[in-house]
Amino acid sequence: MRHLLLILLCLVTGLALSEPAYTLAGTEVHALPAKALQRRYQLFVSLPASYESQPQRRYPVLFISDADYGFPLLRSIARRVGDQGRGLEDFILVGLSYAEGDSPTFSRNRDYTPSPRRDGGGSSSVYGEAEAYRRYLADEVLPHVARTWRADMGRKVFAGHSYGALLGAHILLGTPRMFEHYILSSPSLWYDEGLLLKRAQALAARHGELPAHVLLLAGANERPTARREEGDDIAGDLRRFEATLRAGKLRGLRIEAQLIAGEDHLSVAPSTFTRGLRWALPGRR
């Protein structure tokens, strides 16, 4: 009996001393299944400080891919750069989660890439479902945001880094009106032998329209080096993508590109997102 009481005491003590899981204050998590894909995703949402005090106001909304990393990063940057409303316009931030039950790598490999990988990319990986995921965003995520929060759906911003920016480029070239602004950080334009660079060339050759504001960013060090002569030339691809779209004289397109000195693919995201926020949502200064 004493042994049983001792075990119960240890269990109760352990429960009392255990700390609650960390949560990001002032944020919400909403489940939003993708019915057509038979997968479950979540939306991470952060509302601006003025949301409750200004009930008649509608806010621009920024969607960030890779929410596990991008959502807390963008939220923290926005609070610093915002400078109590002077540095940035208030906005609603929506993080796009990975699929429940999938690892981040598996989910983003599948959902953010526009075509299957010819080499398979590993026996456990699936690639090439960006268009199916885009339809989920268009058919379920955007309508849900429009009816749930006071979002100005005429001022939508997409932001993504690496494969997330590849997804953004896929949306831009195929259905540009889904978002009004695109912040594409270090897009993986090398993917599938430059598939999206080729799509950009075909679009530019038609001299049609591309109604969107686009900011392309990458680290200046995202180039092959003497040690990696066969490495991905993300910085060079970004400049080629910009030049191709400019040459097409596409109606409605406003595009600019920046290379950030001293940064590489792993370090550049905070700098690109800071610049992207100032570009898409400038404050009163």
Side-chain angles (χ1 to χ4, degrees), residues 103-141:
S103 71
T105 298
F106 187 93
S107 186
R108 71 197 305 268
N109 284 350
R110 178 193 58 219
D111 294 341
Y112 295 174
T113 56
S115 60
R117 280 184 61 161
R118 299 184 187 187
D119 62 1
S123 60
S124 63
S125 296
V126 176
Y127 293 82
E129 297 187 16
E131 180 56 23
Y133 183 73
R134 183 204 66 78
R135 288 195 295 269
Y136 162 66
L137 297 181
D139 297 342
E140 301 186 52
V141 173

mmCIF file of all heavy atoms in Angstrom, residues 103-141:
data_model
loop_
_atom_site.group_PDB
_atom_site.id
_atom_site.type_symbol
_atom_site.label_atom_id
_atom_site.label_comp_id
_atom_site.label_asym_id
_atom_site.label_seq_id
_atom_site.Cartn_x
_atom_site.Cartn_y
_atom_site.Cartn_z
ATOM 1 N N SER A 103 5.849 15.355 -41.748
ATOM 2 C CA SER A 103 6.990 16.155 -41.326
ATOM 3 C C SER A 103 7.020 17.438 -42.151
ATOM 4 O O SER A 103 6.486 17.486 -43.264
ATOM 5 C CB SER A 103 8.288 15.386 -41.529
ATOM 6 O OG SER A 103 8.581 15.271 -42.924
ATOM 7 N N PRO A 104 7.649 18.507 -41.638
ATOM 8 C CA PRO A 104 7.759 19.724 -42.434
ATOM 9 C C PRO A 104 8.398 19.477 -43.800
ATOM 10 O O PRO A 104 7.934 20.011 -44.810
ATOM 11 C CB PRO A 104 8.631 20.633 -41.562
ATOM 12 C CG PRO A 104 8.340 20.190 -40.167
ATOM 13 C CD PRO A 104 8.164 18.706 -40.263
ATOM 14 N N THR A 105 9.443 18.666 -43.842
ATOM 15 C CA THR A 105 10.118 18.404 -45.117
ATOM 16 C C THR A 105 9.191 17.709 -46.104
ATOM 17 O O THR A 105 9.082 18.106 -47.272
ATOM 18 C CB THR A 105 11.373 17.557 -44.889
ATOM 19 O OG1 THR A 105 12.284 18.280 -44.062
ATOM 20 C CG2 THR A 105 12.058 17.220 -46.212
ATOM 21 N N PHE A 106 8.491 16.682 -45.658
ATOM 22 C CA PHE A 106 7.597 15.950 -46.545
ATOM 23 C C PHE A 106 6.471 16.855 -47.040
ATOM 24 O O PHE A 106 6.148 16.867 -48.231
ATOM 25 C CB PHE A 106 7.015 14.739 -45.815
ATOM 26 C CG PHE A 106 6.216 13.823 -46.699
ATOM 27 C CD1 PHE A 106 6.809 12.732 -47.303
ATOM 28 C CD2 PHE A 106 4.871 14.062 -46.935
ATOM 29 C CE1 PHE A 106 6.073 11.883 -48.133
ATOM 30 C CE2 PHE A 106 4.130 13.226 -47.758
ATOM 31 C CZ PHE A 106 4.734 12.129 -48.360
ATOM 32 N N SER A 107 5.874 17.636 -46.123
ATOM 33 C CA SER A 107 4.740 18.480 -46.483
ATOM 34 C C SER A 107 5.135 19.544 -47.496
ATOM 35 O O SER A 107 4.454 19.763 -48.501
ATOM 36 C CB SER A 107 4.162 19.134 -45.222
ATOM 37 O OG SER A 107 2.977 19.849 -45.505
ATOM 38 N N ARG A 108 6.256 20.226 -47.258
ATOM 39 C CA ARG A 108 6.645 21.310 -48.165
ATOM 40 C C ARG A 108 7.170 20.759 -49.490
ATOM 41 O O ARG A 108 6.956 21.380 -50.536
ATOM 42 C CB ARG A 108 7.658 22.242 -47.488
ATOM 43 C CG ARG A 108 9.025 21.677 -47.274
ATOM 44 C CD ARG A 108 9.823 22.494 -46.254
ATOM 45 N NE ARG A 108 9.892 23.897 -46.617
ATOM 46 C CZ ARG A 108 10.858 24.431 -47.338
ATOM 47 N NH1 ARG A 108 11.811 23.648 -47.832
ATOM 48 N NH2 ARG A 108 10.871 25.718 -47.592
ATOM 49 N N ASN A 109 7.858 19.617 -49.474
ATOM 50 C CA ASN A 109 8.290 19.013 -50.732
ATOM 51 C C ASN A 109 7.091 18.741 -51.644
ATOM 52 O O ASN A 109 7.151 18.968 -52.860
ATOM 53 C CB ASN A 109 9.025 17.699 -50.478
ATOM 54 C CG ASN A 109 10.434 17.894 -49.962
ATOM 55 O OD1 ASN A 109 10.960 18.998 -49.947
ATOM 56 N ND2 ASN A 109 11.044 16.813 -49.516
ATOM 57 N N ARG A 110 6.022 18.240 -51.070
ATOM 58 C CA ARG A 110 4.831 17.904 -51.852
ATOM 59 C C ARG A 110 4.035 19.149 -52.252
ATOM 60 O O ARG A 110 3.668 19.327 -53.418
ATOM 61 C CB ARG A 110 3.943 16.968 -51.033
ATOM 62 C CG ARG A 110 2.633 16.581 -51.712
ATOM 63 C CD ARG A 110 1.684 15.916 -50.732
ATOM 64 N NE ARG A 110 1.414 16.803 -49.608
ATOM 65 C CZ ARG A 110 1.305 16.398 -48.340
ATOM 66 N NH1 ARG A 110 1.440 15.122 -48.038
ATOM 67 N NH2 ARG A 110 1.063 17.271 -47.376
ATOM 68 N N ASP A 111 3.774 20.031 -51.293
ATOM 69 C CA ASP A 111 2.814 21.107 -51.508
ATOM 70 C C ASP A 111 3.388 22.334 -52.194
ATOM 71 O O ASP A 111 2.629 23.138 -52.755
ATOM 72 C CB ASP A 111 2.209 21.537 -50.164
ATOM 73 C CG ASP A 111 1.355 20.451 -49.533
ATOM 74 O OD1 ASP A 111 0.929 19.533 -50.263
ATOM 75 O OD2 ASP A 111 1.111 20.520 -48.318
ATOM 76 N N TYR A 112 4.691 22.525 -52.149
ATOM 77 C CA TYR A 112 5.270 23.770 -52.662
ATOM 78 C C TYR A 112 5.972 23.611 -54.004
ATOM 79 O O TYR A 112 6.456 24.608 -54.555
ATOM 80 C CB TYR A 112 6.280 24.334 -51.649
ATOM 81 C CG TYR A 112 5.690 24.765 -50.320
ATOM 82 C CD1 TYR A 112 6.527 25.184 -49.277
ATOM 83 C CD2 TYR A 112 4.326 24.761 -50.079
ATOM 84 C CE1 TYR A 112 6.015 25.594 -48.055
ATOM 85 C CE2 TYR A 112 3.802 25.160 -48.861
ATOM 86 C CZ TYR A 112 4.654 25.565 -47.848
ATOM 87 O OH TYR A 112 4.150 25.968 -46.638
ATOM 88 N N THR A 113 6.045 22.397 -54.537
ATOM 89 C CA THR A 113 6.780 22.192 -55.783
ATOM 90 C C THR A 113 5.809 21.988 -56.946
ATOM 91 O O THR A 113 4.787 21.297 -56.807
ATOM 92 C CB THR A 113 7.729 20.992 -55.678
ATOM 93 O OG1 THR A 113 6.985 19.819 -55.311
ATOM 94 C CG2 THR A 113 8.811 21.251 -54.642
ATOM 95 N N PRO A 114 6.115 22.546 -58.131
ATOM 96 C CA PRO A 114 5.149 22.557 -59.232
ATOM 97 C C PRO A 114 5.151 21.330 -60.120
ATOM 98 O O PRO A 114 4.298 21.218 -61.009
ATOM 99 C CB PRO A 114 5.584 23.794 -60.030
ATOM 100 C CG PRO A 114 7.057 23.882 -59.810
ATOM 101 C CD PRO A 114 7.280 23.424 -58.390
ATOM 102 N N SER A 115 6.084 20.399 -59.922
ATOM 103 C CA SER A 115 6.161 19.220 -60.784
ATOM 104 C C SER A 115 6.882 18.115 -60.032
ATOM 105 O O SER A 115 7.658 18.384 -59.103
ATOM 106 C CB SER A 115 6.922 19.559 -62.079
ATOM 107 O OG SER A 115 8.241 19.991 -61.767
ATOM 108 N N PRO A 116 6.653 16.857 -60.420
ATOM 109 C CA PRO A 116 7.391 15.751 -59.787
ATOM 110 C C PRO A 116 8.879 15.860 -60.090
ATOM 111 O O PRO A 116 9.270 16.315 -61.163
ATOM 112 C CB PRO A 116 6.786 14.500 -60.435
ATOM 113 C CG PRO A 116 5.473 14.938 -60.977
ATOM 114 C CD PRO A 116 5.649 16.365 -61.382
ATOM 115 N N ARG A 117 9.694 15.450 -59.152
ATOM 116 C CA ARG A 117 11.138 15.437 -59.390
ATOM 117 C C ARG A 117 11.505 14.232 -60.231
ATOM 118 O O ARG A 117 11.056 13.118 -59.976
ATOM 119 C CB ARG A 117 11.905 15.401 -58.058
ATOM 120 C CG ARG A 117 12.005 16.759 -57.420
ATOM 121 C CD ARG A 117 12.846 16.741 -56.173
ATOM 122 N NE ARG A 117 14.219 16.324 -56.431
ATOM 123 C CZ ARG A 117 15.227 16.572 -55.584
ATOM 124 N NH1 ARG A 117 14.995 17.245 -54.470
ATOM 125 N NH2 ARG A 117 16.432 16.160 -55.851
ATOM 126 N N ARG A 118 12.338 14.471 -61.227
ATOM 127 C CA ARG A 118 12.706 13.386 -62.130
ATOM 128 C C ARG A 118 13.566 12.333 -61.448
ATOM 129 O O ARG A 118 13.526 11.161 -61.810
ATOM 130 C CB ARG A 118 13.440 13.966 -63.342
ATOM 131 C CG ARG A 118 12.577 14.937 -64.119
ATOM 132 C CD ARG A 118 13.256 15.444 -65.361
ATOM 133 N NE ARG A 118 12.465 16.488 -65.995
ATOM 134 C CZ ARG A 118 12.754 17.010 -67.176
ATOM 135 N NH1 ARG A 118 13.804 16.587 -67.844
ATOM 136 N NH2 ARG A 118 11.988 17.962 -67.684
ATOM 137 N N ASP A 119 14.334 12.761 -60.421
ATOM 138 C CA ASP A 119 15.178 11.792 -59.716
ATOM 139 C C ASP A 119 14.469 11.171 -58.530
ATOM 140 O O ASP A 119 15.045 10.392 -57.786
ATOM 141 C CB ASP A 119 16.481 12.455 -59.259
ATOM 142 C CG ASP A 119 16.242 13.593 -58.266
ATOM 143 O OD1 ASP A 119 15.071 13.850 -57.918
ATOM 144 O OD2 ASP A 119 17.229 14.224 -57.855
ATOM 145 N N GLY A 120 13.199 11.540 -58.340
ATOM 146 C CA GLY A 120 12.420 10.990 -57.230
ATOM 147 C C GLY A 120 12.614 11.712 -55.932
ATOM 148 O O GLY A 120 11.740 11.715 -55.080
ATOM 149 N N GLY A 121 13.777 12.349 -55.729
ATOM 150 C CA GLY A 121 14.029 13.120 -54.523
ATOM 151 C C GLY A 121 14.071 12.292 -53.258
ATOM 152 O O GLY A 121 13.913 12.796 -52.167
ATOM 153 N N GLY A 122 14.240 10.995 -53.371
ATOM 154 C CA GLY A 122 14.219 10.142 -52.187
ATOM 155 C C GLY A 122 12.968 9.285 -52.199
ATOM 156 O O GLY A 122 11.887 9.743 -52.552
ATOM 157 N N SER A 123 13.098 8.043 -51.821
ATOM 158 C CA SER A 123 11.986 7.104 -51.937
ATOM 159 C C SER A 123 10.789 7.478 -51.083
ATOM 160 O O SER A 123 9.663 7.087 -51.381
ATOM 161 C CB SER A 123 12.471 5.695 -51.567
ATOM 162 O OG SER A 123 12.965 5.683 -50.236
ATOM 163 N N SER A 124 11.004 8.218 -50.001
ATOM 164 C CA SER A 124 9.896 8.551 -49.101
ATOM 165 C C SER A 124 9.286 9.906 -49.409
ATOM 166 O O SER A 124 8.372 10.335 -48.714
ATOM 167 C CB SER A 124 10.391 8.544 -47.647
ATOM 168 O OG SER A 124 11.387 9.547 -47.463
ATOM 169 N N SER A 125 9.739 10.586 -50.452
ATOM 170 C CA SER A 125 9.275 11.934 -50.739
ATOM 171 C C SER A 125 8.279 11.939 -51.894
ATOM 172 O O SER A 125 8.350 11.126 -52.807
ATOM 173 C CB SER A 125 10.455 12.842 -51.090
ATOM 174 O OG SER A 125 11.323 12.984 -49.985
ATOM 175 N N VAL A 126 7.345 12.880 -51.828
ATOM 176 C CA VAL A 126 6.391 13.135 -52.901
ATOM 177 C C VAL A 126 6.555 14.586 -53.302
ATOM 178 O O VAL A 126 6.664 15.468 -52.450
ATOM 179 C CB VAL A 126 4.939 12.865 -52.433
ATOM 180 C CG1 VAL A 126 3.952 13.220 -53.532
ATOM 181 C CG2 VAL A 126 4.774 11.417 -52.013
ATOM 182 N N TYR A 127 6.583 14.847 -54.592
ATOM 183 C CA TYR A 127 6.761 16.205 -55.102
ATOM 184 C C TYR A 127 5.680 16.523 -56.137
ATOM 185 O O TYR A 127 5.049 15.627 -56.692
ATOM 186 C CB TYR A 127 8.138 16.351 -55.774
ATOM 187 C CG TYR A 127 9.315 16.253 -54.838
ATOM 188 C CD1 TYR A 127 9.804 15.015 -54.431
ATOM 189 C CD2 TYR A 127 9.941 17.395 -54.362
ATOM 190 C CE1 TYR A 127 10.883 14.920 -53.573
ATOM 191 C CE2 TYR A 127 11.031 17.308 -53.502
ATOM 192 C CZ TYR A 127 11.494 16.074 -53.117
ATOM 193 O OH TYR A 127 12.563 15.981 -52.262
ATOM 194 N N GLY A 128 5.496 17.823 -56.379
ATOM 195 C CA GLY A 128 4.739 18.236 -57.550
ATOM 196 C C GLY A 128 3.272 18.531 -57.358
ATOM 197 O O GLY A 128 2.525 18.569 -58.337
ATOM 198 N N GLU A 129 2.811 18.801 -56.130
ATOM 199 C CA GLU A 129 1.389 19.046 -55.917
ATOM 200 C C GLU A 129 1.087 20.506 -55.581
ATOM 201 O O GLU A 129 0.103 20.817 -54.915
ATOM 202 C CB GLU A 129 0.852 18.116 -54.828
ATOM 203 C CG GLU A 129 0.949 16.647 -55.216
ATOM 204 C CD GLU A 129 0.262 15.710 -54.234
ATOM 205 O OE1 GLU A 129 -0.546 16.191 -53.405
ATOM 206 O OE2 GLU A 129 0.526 14.489 -54.305
ATOM 207 N N ALA A 130 1.920 21.425 -56.070
ATOM 208 C CA ALA A 130 1.700 22.842 -55.786
ATOM 209 C C ALA A 130 0.373 23.335 -56.334
ATOM 210 O O ALA A 130 -0.304 24.157 -55.700
ATOM 211 C CB ALA A 130 2.845 23.684 -56.362
ATOM 212 N N GLU A 131 -0.037 22.849 -57.500
ATOM 213 C CA GLU A 131 -1.297 23.321 -58.077
ATOM 214 C C GLU A 131 -2.492 22.854 -57.252
ATOM 215 O O GLU A 131 -3.443 23.617 -57.029
ATOM 216 C CB GLU A 131 -1.428 22.865 -59.525
ATOM 217 C CG GLU A 131 -2.710 23.305 -60.216
ATOM 218 C CD GLU A 131 -2.947 24.813 -60.199
ATOM 219 O OE1 GLU A 131 -1.975 25.585 -60.051
ATOM 220 O OE2 GLU A 131 -4.130 25.219 -60.327
ATOM 221 N N ALA A 132 -2.440 21.630 -56.765
ATOM 222 C CA ALA A 132 -3.515 21.142 -55.899
ATOM 223 C C ALA A 132 -3.566 21.946 -54.602
ATOM 224 O O ALA A 132 -4.647 22.311 -54.107
ATOM 225 C CB ALA A 132 -3.318 19.661 -55.597
ATOM 226 N N TYR A 133 -2.408 22.264 -54.048
ATOM 227 C CA TYR A 133 -2.361 23.071 -52.833
ATOM 228 C C TYR A 133 -2.833 24.501 -53.116
ATOM 229 O O TYR A 133 -3.522 25.108 -52.289
ATOM 230 C CB TYR A 133 -0.942 23.069 -52.259
ATOM 231 C CG TYR A 133 -0.804 23.814 -50.961
ATOM 232 C CD1 TYR A 133 -1.310 23.296 -49.772
ATOM 233 C CD2 TYR A 133 -0.166 25.052 -50.908
ATOM 234 C CE1 TYR A 133 -1.189 23.981 -48.577
ATOM 235 C CE2 TYR A 133 -0.035 25.739 -49.721
ATOM 236 C CZ TYR A 133 -0.548 25.208 -48.558
ATOM 237 O OH TYR A 133 -0.426 25.897 -47.376
ATOM 238 N N ARG A 134 -2.478 25.041 -54.275
ATOM 239 C CA ARG A 134 -2.948 26.385 -54.642
ATOM 240 C C ARG A 134 -4.470 26.430 -54.680
ATOM 241 O O ARG A 134 -5.087 27.399 -54.223
ATOM 242 C CB ARG A 134 -2.380 26.794 -56.000
ATOM 243 C CG ARG A 134 -2.771 28.229 -56.410
ATOM 244 C CD ARG A 134 -2.736 28.438 -57.895
ATOM 245 N NE ARG A 134 -3.739 27.656 -58.587
ATOM 246 C CZ ARG A 134 -5.036 27.988 -58.650
ATOM 247 N NH1 ARG A 134 -5.484 29.073 -58.040
ATOM 248 N NH2 ARG A 134 -5.885 27.215 -59.297
ATOM 249 N N ARG A 135 -5.093 25.381 -55.218
ATOM 250 C CA ARG A 135 -6.558 25.350 -55.268
ATOM 251 C C ARG A 135 -7.142 25.321 -53.861
ATOM 252 O O ARG A 135 -8.194 25.930 -53.607
ATOM 253 C CB ARG A 135 -7.025 24.145 -56.084
ATOM 254 C CG ARG A 135 -6.773 24.294 -57.575
ATOM 255 C CD ARG A 135 -7.578 23.273 -58.379
ATOM 256 N NE ARG A 135 -7.155 21.911 -58.095
ATOM 257 C CZ ARG A 135 -6.212 21.260 -58.767
ATOM 258 N NH1 ARG A 135 -5.586 21.865 -59.784
ATOM 259 N NH2 ARG A 135 -5.891 20.022 -58.457
ATOM 260 N N TYR A 136 -6.495 24.614 -52.947
ATOM 261 C CA TYR A 136 -6.941 24.640 -51.547
ATOM 262 C C TYR A 136 -6.885 26.056 -50.993
ATOM 263 O O TYR A 136 -7.834 26.511 -50.330
ATOM 264 C CB TYR A 136 -6.068 23.696 -50.720
ATOM 265 C CG TYR A 136 -6.111 23.927 -49.224
ATOM 266 C CD1 TYR A 136 -7.276 23.704 -48.499
ATOM 267 C CD2 TYR A 136 -4.978 24.370 -48.534
ATOM 268 C CE1 TYR A 136 -7.309 23.917 -47.128
ATOM 269 C CE2 TYR A 136 -5.001 24.584 -47.175
ATOM 270 C CZ TYR A 136 -6.174 24.354 -46.469
ATOM 271 O OH TYR A 136 -6.208 24.577 -45.116
ATOM 272 N N LEU A 137 -5.812 26.779 -51.270
ATOM 273 C CA LEU A 137 -5.719 28.166 -50.812
ATOM 274 C C LEU A 137 -6.831 29.009 -51.412
ATOM 275 O O LEU A 137 -7.484 29.799 -50.710
ATOM 276 C CB LEU A 137 -4.353 28.750 -51.186
ATOM 277 C CG LEU A 137 -3.112 28.113 -50.563
ATOM 278 C CD1 LEU A 137 -1.861 28.860 -51.034
ATOM 279 C CD2 LEU A 137 -3.188 28.100 -49.043
ATOM 280 N N ALA A 138 -7.052 28.853 -52.718
ATOM 281 C CA ALA A 138 -8.041 29.684 -53.412
ATOM 282 C C ALA A 138 -9.467 29.337 -53.003
ATOM 283 O O ALA A 138 -10.307 30.233 -52.815
ATOM 284 C CB ALA A 138 -7.872 29.531 -54.924
ATOM 285 N N ASP A 139 -9.759 28.051 -52.862
ATOM 286 C CA ASP A 139 -11.142 27.611 -52.654
ATOM 287 C C ASP A 139 -11.553 27.559 -51.192
ATOM 288 O O ASP A 139 -12.756 27.675 -50.881
ATOM 289 C CB ASP A 139 -11.344 26.220 -53.270
ATOM 290 C CG ASP A 139 -11.153 26.211 -54.778
ATOM 291 O OD1 ASP A 139 -11.194 27.294 -55.391
ATOM 292 O OD2 ASP A 139 -10.940 25.108 -55.341
ATOM 293 N N GLU A 140 -10.580 27.383 -50.290
ATOM 294 C CA GLU A 140 -10.945 27.194 -48.884
ATOM 295 C C GLU A 140 -10.291 28.214 -47.958
ATOM 296 O O GLU A 140 -10.966 28.789 -47.095
ATOM 297 C CB GLU A 140 -10.609 25.763 -48.448
ATOM 298 C CG GLU A 140 -11.353 24.716 -49.291
ATOM 299 C CD GLU A 140 -11.161 23.302 -48.796
ATOM 300 O OE1 GLU A 140 -11.393 23.071 -47.594
ATOM 301 O OE2 GLU A 140 -10.799 22.433 -49.604
ATOM 302 N N VAL A 141 -9.007 28.466 -48.107
ATOM 303 C CA VAL A 141 -8.332 29.363 -47.167
ATOM 304 C C VAL A 141 -8.781 30.808 -47.357
ATOM 305 O O VAL A 141 -9.191 31.474 -46.389
ATOM 306 C CB VAL A 141 -6.802 29.254 -47.310
ATOM 307 C CG1 VAL A 141 -6.111 30.318 -46.453
ATOM 308 C CG2 VAL A 141 -6.336 27.865 -46.891
#
